Amino acid sequence: MPFPPPKTEDSRQRFEELRTTAKDALEEIIASANETGWGTQEIVAALIEAAQSLKDAATVDPDPADDPSIPEAVREQIGHGEQFD
């Protein structure tokens, strides 16, 4: 489900728009998972844990898109005594 762009710059209104859209997306996920045999409570618990994991990762690295790619990081190590498989 694509998220629409924000309609306002007001932080409270933006949050409310996003909360509503996110809730709609989660309801679709839950309905889809229910259809395949998952229980609502276990789905919600898994979603909460997944969201917390993403929040924790964003706290550690707020913009992972700025990180160098793995090949670039490996290239930087060449010649410094590291061995790669």
Side-chain angles (χ1 to χ4, degrees), residues 66-82 84:
D66 289 345
D67 295 348
S69 66
I70 296 299
E72 187 177 320
V74 170
R75 242 186 325 247
E76 291 175 10
Q77 296 296 320
I78 293 175
H80 297 280
E82 289 80 5
F84 299 98

Side-chain angles (χ1 to χ4, degrees), residues 30-38:
I30 291 168
S32 176
N34 284 152
E35 290 174 4
T36 63
W38 295 99

